[in-house]
Amino acid sequence: MFDVTFVTQLLNGLQLGSIYALIALGYTMVYGIILLLNFAHGDIIMVGAYISWIVMSQLGMSPVLAIILSVAGCTLLGVLIDKVAYAPLRDAPRLSILITAIGVSYFLENGAQLVFGADAKVVPQYFEMDNLMLGDVQLSSVSLLIIIVTAVSTAVLTYVVNRTKLGKAMRAVSEDMGAARLMGINVNNTISFTFAVGSALAGIGAVLYSMAYTQASPTMGIMLGTKAFVAAVLGGIGSIPGAVIGGLLVGLAETFVSAIGLSVWKDAVVFLMLIIVLVVRPTGILGRPMTEKV
Amino acid sequence: MATMLSVKDLHVSYGAIKAVRGVSFDINEGEIVTLIGANGAGKSTTLNTVAGLIKPESGTVEFQGKSIVGVKAHKIVEQGLAMCPEGRRVFTHMTVAENLEMGGYTRTDAENAETIELVYEHFPRLKERMRQVAGTLSGGEQQMLAMGRALMSRPQLLMLDEPSMGLAPILVEEIFDIIKTLNQNGTTILLVEQNASMALSIADRGYVLETGKINKTGTGQDLLHDDDVRKAYLGG
Ligand SMILES: Nc1ncnc2c1ncn2[C@@H]1O[C@H](COP(=O)(O)OP(=O)(O)OP(=O)(O)O)[C@@H](O)[C@H]1O
Ligand SMILES: [Mg+2]
């Protein structure tokens, strides 16, 4: 029999896991196409949360506008980071671009601290929502919304990647950039598109995170980004379903470890999970063995 | 006969390695021209440079009268010059049909729907396997896919880099027959081959490339019967 706390914790775990999944998708897509661990990806979430805070708290404008501007802002920022910081290094050694990503991450964190201060800001509630009752179990409507939005976003992404022309071009570029050029594919545009999609998902993640946890702080992206990165590797970096499964597993593990009173161990458990999976399956749960890059 | 491609005094280096040192050649509309040479002679480097994947140090490349040096590879495809690269390089995680669709990236869906039927006519085996993932095709089938994929852009000039590499003799015959048919149907062909006797026997003209330089040129038949060429590339 399901008891009340189990259902509540399950929902909490899926809520957190969904947010990790959305962020993990961006990591995995960018890695898939240019083999870059985009360390600045977590910080994009932070910027998204601040945009919502500015729009609603500072400018007193509507939550719908806050959502639109957060997602649009993250999308633009992701593309801009690629164009300014990564694109000039496309032919440079992978280590240079990795270090650049770390630099961008510091830049965003310190920039936010400079502009907004180190203290967390409270992001107002976007919508008033009544919780649902299932028998005598109260279901958080925010949790349900987060799970549904994540499921829909993942479905749309899967469709785009598998069925649309740009999505197929993404897959072609990620397998063999030179061959993709010979097909007439504009590789730079395809990479920009990948950053745009990954960052839009991060923007959605930023809004959902702010709905659930109502805070924006300059360093919020660090732990979120790290967990989502672990989720992406756990699921198999480069794999879209892998990122979702990894995200949910990390979210559920953290929540249940905390629920049984071991919350100080939750991060350790997540990293332990990662180590075990990588020992058993070095490519992650759904990762493919590395195909040779030509 | 109009000149389709004209390469003059091409120099290409990889860092300190000079791979191509002053290569010049022409291809006329409707011809099959072959570039033969030993391993490392610079054949692939020449083709990759013409296709826009590598920038030359100096020299000119004109396609249908227009310079294409410095033009991005994806724009060169749009102008009607396609290349089927060495080692096939099909997209192994994508299906046969998706690979062909990528080949027609610069074309409209309507054009692709037509072209794909032509490709399936040349390569009926691809049609049977259209939903199969390309990585699971045999080497010969992958070569057919790579050629079919290059044809999807409806090129005026098709460059083929060692299409017979690693194939059984019977498949080599089949591939060369298809190259001849494509040419008869109006596609100009630049063929790079290790299999010099096969290549020269179907080519109108050939160029012999040695350590980055053209050292001999003539009709396919002349080169096939040339003593130096026979010794160096045809095993006696
Ligand atoms: N990416 C590269 N970096 C450095 N050197 C290269 C690179 N590609 C080719 N070379 C060098 O350039 C020279 C010409 O190589 P290329 O591949 O053009 O020869 P090829 O005639 O196509 O030979 P093969 O018949 O073996 O395919 C060789 O000496 C090769 O080692
Ligand atoms: Mg070669």
Side-chain angles (χ1 to χ4, degrees), chain B residues 14-15 17-20 37-46 86 161-162 165 192 194 209:
Chain B
Y14 300 100
I17 302 167
K18 290 197 175 297
V20 169
N39 290 113
K43 305 180 297 292
S44 298
T45 304
T46 304
E86 182 176 280
D161 195 346
E162 303 207 25
M165 196 209 280
V192 159
Q194 294 264 337
L209 198 59

Side-chain angles (χ1 to χ4, degrees), chain B residues 121-147:
Chain B
E121 261 172 45
H122 286 297
F123 306 102
R125 256 187 279 185
L126 294 183
K127 187 164 193 175
E128 293 161 26
R129 290 170 170 72
M130 60 195 265
R131 286 184 217 300
Q132 194 173 324
V133 172
T136 62
L137 296 176
S138 74
E141 288 160 358
Q142 289 195 9
Q143 184 58 49
M144 293 178 186
L145 179 57
M147 286 171 64

